[in-house]
Amino acid sequence: MMVRSSAWVSRGILATLFAFLASGPALATNGMNTIGYGAVSTGMGGADLALVDNATAMNINPAGICECAQPELGLGVSHLMPELSHRDSLGNDRDAEKNIFALPLVTFATPIDGLPLTFGIGLFSQGGMGAEYKGLNTPFGTRDDTFSNVMYAKVTPTLAWNSPGSRLRLGASLNAGYVGTDMKFFPDTSVAAAGFAGMDLKDLEAFGYGARLGFQYNLGRLTLGGAWLSKTRLNFDGGTMTLDFSDPGFGGLGKVDYDARMSGFNWPQQAGLGMSYRLSSRWRVAADVDWVDWSHAMTTVEIKLDQPENPGAPAAQVISIPMDWKDQWVYAVGLEYEFVDDWMLRVGYNHADSPVPDGTLSPLFPAVIEDHVTAGLGARSDRWQVDVAVEYALPASQENDNPDPSVNPFGIGSRERHSQVTTHLLIRRLF
């Protein structure tokens, strides 16, 4: 993550709409995605493509909103409580700053009178990642901070079609999203001999658009489902990067602000198939397999800087951060038991190998979790349904084996460890 000189050629209503959703970094755990959306989905371990039957379906499998036989309003919130630690050969063995992040969602779906169609719209916290460490030992003999924060929120207008007899359901949703990011990497460290100027990136934002298509097919006790989500291309702009050129070797320029843009950081294409099977009137089991195309979304992130505030500073800079993430296969299973009339108990398990290569692992992007266990409880009446769930991401660790200090300044064997508890609440009202 060294600064290099280079010659190169040089949006707020929607951001305001999403501001209440994107209030802090989300330590999502299938890469940058959460394992599910809403307490029903997460209580089943994210095994939801053939099972989801409420308005949260528009961000899972849009065909599922056909099950909303009446107008339905949903309000939900998840609270993420990550545990992160970093260890390296520089003497660091530190826990990240502890935070609790609230991620709300709002959904509405209604059948269209006289037509076999259902309309829905929702606001979702899609995911993200981030970590904050204070006072790390740096390779330059200083103590300094690292910080990363990626937040993705989106609106999802949706239309679904229900065939006569309700055997086949098809759905499509537009995904209009806002992503904001901030990052710090040793912001108060300046070492000209090593070509290093500490960075502090603020207020980068991007607007991206995609589509999600889905189906569900009912065969009596067995329901099959599948969904595809297009890649969301993100071109970040509007940010400010502060580089620390205080070292006399840099001319003693001090801290210099640049206008900042970023590319090479996108949200991936995703496709999945699933099934749910009703074992009896009270038991239901579900299973999903999803493919997430991180390898074409997270490549090399380039932060491009121009128009320095100090006219004596370098006129153009490019900061390159190799990512080279790998594709993920996500496997999810869930079980639901109606133990008393209108009371449901759910359990689930979700596994996906870490998409982060050992050689590009860093405390900025510690998305290494692979296994989750979940449990949930639901209760319904004529007009109301309340669902809660808890999700535990089992501890996972990964070590960087890259000897290149420009990519891995913490040295061979630097380790990131991550676990997480997330609680979910979803309240739905039928009209």
Side-chain angles (χ1 to χ4, degrees):
M1 286 172 283
M2 299 299 181
V3 177
R4 59 180 171 88
S5 294
S6 174
W8 48 275
V9 178
S10 310
R11 282 177 175 155
I13 294 176
L14 190 56
T16 302
L17 177 64
F18 286 138
F20 81 104
L21 286 175
S23 57
L27 273 294
T29 46
N30 282 159
M32 292 190 295
N33 289 320
T34 60
I35 68 168
Y37 300 93
V40 177
S41 169
T42 51
M44 296 289 286
D48 47 20
L49 289 171
L51 177 132
V52 65
D53 57 2
N54 59 72
T56 63
M58 64 188 82
N59 200 37
I60 300 166
N61 180 352
I65 67 169
C66 288
E67 289 294 316
C68 298
Q70 301 168 258
E72 175 186 307
L73 176 67
L75 300 174
V77 65
S78 300
H79 287 93
L80 287 79
M81 293 162 279
E83 297 281 342
L84 294 156
S85 67
H86 169 80
R87 185 185 67 199
D88 60 44
S89 60
L90 302 176
N92 292 306
D93 192 355
R94 302 289 300 276
D95 293 334
E97 298 298 303
K98 296 186 184 299
N99 292 291
I100 299 176
F101 305 109
L103 303 175
L105 66 85
V106 182
T107 61
F108 176 75
T110 182
I112 300 175
D113 289 343
L115 295 172
L117 299 174
T118 304
F119 170 77
I121 190 166
L123 285 167
F124 292 88
S125 302
Q126 174 70 20
M129 60 182 172
E132 181 178 11
Y133 289 94
K134 292 185 176 180
L136 291 177
N137 298 321
T138 79
F140 314 107
T142 63
R143 294 178 65 88
D144 212 336
D145 305 337
T146 67
F147 172 80
S148 59
N149 174 17
V150 180
M151 311 169 295
Y152 182 14
K154 63 184 181 181
V155 60
T156 57
T158 302
L159 192 64
W161 171 81
N162 201 4
S163 69
S166 298
R167 183 175 290 271
L168 175 65
R169 299 181 285 270
L170 302 174
S173 65
L174 173 67
N175 287 229
Y178 168 80
V179 185
T181 187
D182 304 281
M183 193 184 311
K184 295 180 181 180
F185 191 71
F186 304 154
D188 297 317
T189 298
S190 180
V191 184
F196 183 84
M199 71 177 197
D200 185 354
L201 176 66
K202 298 184 180 72
D203 302 328
L204 266 182
E205 60 182 13
F207 293 82
Y209 304 91
R212 189 186 299 268
L213 307 176
F215 79 92
Q216 290 180 341
Y217 191 75
N218 184 271
L219 295 165
R221 291 189 176 189
L222 175 67
T223 299
L224 303 177
W228 168 79
L229 174 66
S230 67
K231 177 180 178 180
T232 300
R233 297 185 180 276
L234 300 170
N235 292 308
F236 290 84
D237 207 344
T240 300
M241 172 71 89
T242 302
L243 295 180
D244 190 350
F245 291 119
S246 300
D247 189 307
F250 284 127
L253 296 170
K255 293 192 174 184
V256 178
D257 290 340
Y258 289 79
D259 294 337
R261 296 178 290 154
M262 186 170 74
S263 61
F265 190 113
N266 302 289
W267 229 266
Q269 175 184 202
Q270 182 172 342
L273 291 172
M275 58 79 67
S276 70
Y277 186 77
R278 187 167 290 282
L279 300 169
S280 70
S281 61
R282 292 189 179 271
W283 290 89
R284 188 162 57 159
V285 63
D288 285 3
V289 177
D290 285 275
W291 166 70
V292 188
D293 187 19
W294 291 113
S295 65
H296 290 92
M298 297 289 286
T299 53
T300 295
V301 175
E302 288 198 340
I303 304 170
K304 301 180 179 181
L305 313 179
D306 202 3
Q307 299 179 1
E309 184 180 81
N310 187 329
Q317 302 287 331
V318 175
I319 297 173
S320 295
I321 305 175
M323 303 291 282
D324 300 324
W325 279 24
K326 303 173 291 185
D327 291 353
Q328 270 187 318
W329 287 94
V330 182
Y331 306 94
V333 293
L335 180 69
E336 180 183 77
Y337 173 47
E338 188 175 0
F339 61 96
V340 177
D341 287 352
D342 298 323
W343 285 82
M344 283 70 65
L345 178 67
R346 304 180 183 101
V347 293
Y349 172 73
N350 184 291
H351 172 81
D353 289 344
S354 166
V356 183
D358 291 341
T360 64
L361 179 68
S362 85
L364 291 174
F365 305 110
V368 301
I369 280 179
E370 298 187 335
D371 297 287
H372 307 73
V373 291
T374 67
L377 185 68
R380 64 187 175 212
S381 66
D382 289 341
R383 296 286 181 179
W384 293 90
Q385 178 152 345
V386 178
D387 297 281
V388 296
V390 62
E391 167 192 339
Y392 178 51
L394 278 64
S397 63
Q398 197 168 321
E399 292 189 357
N400 193 319
D401 58 3
N402 195 332
D404 184 351
S406 68
V407 177
N408 177 26
F410 296 101
I412 293 177
S414 62
R415 185 208 69 177
E416 309 304 325
R417 187 177 184 274
H418 185 187
S419 64
Q420 183 169 291
V421 174
T422 309
T423 61
H424 306 269
L425 170 66
L426 178 64
I427 301 173
R428 290 179 280 156
R429 173 70 160 89
L430 305 180
F431 296 91

